[in-house]
């Protein structure tokens, strides 16, 4: 049987790894403008291998989140679609790690095209999945302790995702991406931290104790 506490620790550890790597890259590659440049720009630097690991770690984190949430969320069409979208984001993140980006835009090589396509899929599927899972969480009284922060983070994620195509042409695409990921990671940490408690509560609270 899958231990929710272990899954929670894996998700938290992998999210923190990604955050530490990105923070470290800002110091290792000071010539890369974080306001303008997307995180994929670090792949083309001397620290490219480090950034590449972050893509695969994010994929592991998202799959772990799906595994854990499936054990602590009441089955529903909305949450199932959310799980599928998280899984798609995980595959896209891993694909972006396999196929590096390139300097030229629009990309000319197959690797660059695949990386760009994967990079576009990840934030869109993440935002949609977060919204759907949050809707499921809001219907379950077992999650009432974290509903406010999860809801507000979801609103922030939706707004930042919608603002990206506006900010990117104005030279702030890197900043928009970082803000969006920061909100997504905060959401993931809150949810992952809460999962073990929900699993414990489920053993004592009847399943029908969910908002209609």
């Amino acid at each position: 049987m899958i231990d929710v506490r272990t899954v929670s620790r894996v998700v938290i550890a992998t999210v923190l790894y990604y955050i530490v790597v990105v923070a470290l890259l800002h110091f290792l590659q000071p010539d890369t403008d974080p306001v303008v440049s997307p995180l994929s720009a670090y792949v083309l630097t001397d620290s490219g291998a480090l950034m590449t690991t972050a893509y695969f770690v994010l994929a592991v984190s998202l799959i772990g989140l799906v595994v854990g949430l499936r054990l602590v969320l009441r089955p529903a069409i909305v949450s199932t679609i959310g799980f599928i979208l998280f899984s798609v984001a995980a595959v896209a993140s891993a694909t972006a790690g396999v196929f590096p980006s390139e300097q030229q835009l629009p990309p000319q090589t197959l690797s660059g095209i695949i990386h760009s396509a994967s990079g576009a899929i990840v934030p869109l599927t993440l935002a949609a999945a977060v919204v759907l899972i949050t809707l499921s969480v809001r219907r379950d009284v077992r999650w009432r302790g974290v509903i406010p922060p999860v809801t507000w983070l979801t609103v922030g994620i939706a707004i930042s995702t919608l603002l990206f195509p506006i900010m990117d042409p104005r030279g702030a695409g890197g900043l928009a991406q970082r803000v969006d990921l920061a909100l997504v990671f905060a959401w993931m940490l809150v949810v992952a931290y809460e999962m073990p408690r929900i699993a414990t509560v489920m053993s004592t609270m009847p399943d029908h104790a969910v908002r209609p």
Side-chain angles (χ1 to χ4, degrees):
M1 183 176 178
I2 299 175
D3 180 25
V4 176
R5 190 174 300 277
T6 299
V7 174
S8 171
R9 289 171 178 169
V10 169
V11 174
I12 292 173
T14 48
V15 168
L16 292 178
Y17 175 88
Y18 193 108
I19 294 172
V20 170
V21 164
V22 171
L24 184 60
L25 286 170
H26 283 77
F27 289 100
L28 294 176
Q29 303 297 330
D31 294 335
T32 302
D33 188 347
V35 175
V36 178
S37 303
L39 294 175
S40 59
Y42 290 115
V43 175
L44 304 175
T45 67
D46 295 337
S47 305
L50 189 59
M51 184 63 224
T52 298
T53 65
Y55 287 117
F56 296 111
V57 168
L58 177 58
V60 172
S61 183
L62 293 173
I63 293 301
L65 195 64
V66 170
V67 171
L69 285 174
R70 282 178 59 86
L71 298 174
V72 296
L73 271 181
R74 185 183 184 219
I77 294 178
V78 170
S79 58
T80 299
I81 297 175
F83 297 150
I84 293 173
L85 290 173
F86 271 137
S87 300
V88 171
V91 172
S93 182
T95 302
V98 173
F99 298 93
S101 60
E102 59 181 274
Q103 292 282 5
Q104 187 173 351
L105 292 176
Q108 302 298 311
T109 66
L110 178 61
S111 177
I113 293 172
I114 294 176
H115 183 94
S116 295
S118 300
I121 291 172
V122 171
L124 294 176
T125 50
L126 279 181
V130 165
V131 169
L132 294 175
I133 296 302
T134 298
L135 291 175
S136 294
V137 166
R138 288 176 59 84
R139 294 182 62 246
D140 194 331
V141 297
R142 294 171 294 203
W143 290 81
R144 60 181 176 270
V146 296
I147 286 177
V150 166
T151 300
W152 283 112
L153 285 169
T154 300
V155 172
I157 292 167
I159 293 174
S160 62
T161 302
L162 293 174
L163 286 178
F164 178 81
I166 298 174
M167 297 180 67
D168 188 38
R170 290 169 170 76
L175 176 62
Q177 182 193 42
R178 286 162 174 78
V179 170
D180 184 55
L181 279 176
L183 292 170
V184 169
F185 288 151
W187 185 93
M188 292 175 66
L189 288 173
V190 171
V191 171
Y193 183 81
E194 190 72 1
M195 287 194 303
R197 189 191 70 80
I198 301 301
T200 301
V201 172
M202 287 177 65
S203 63
T204 59
M205 180 179 288
D207 186 63
H208 60 74
V210 178
R211 293 193 189 108

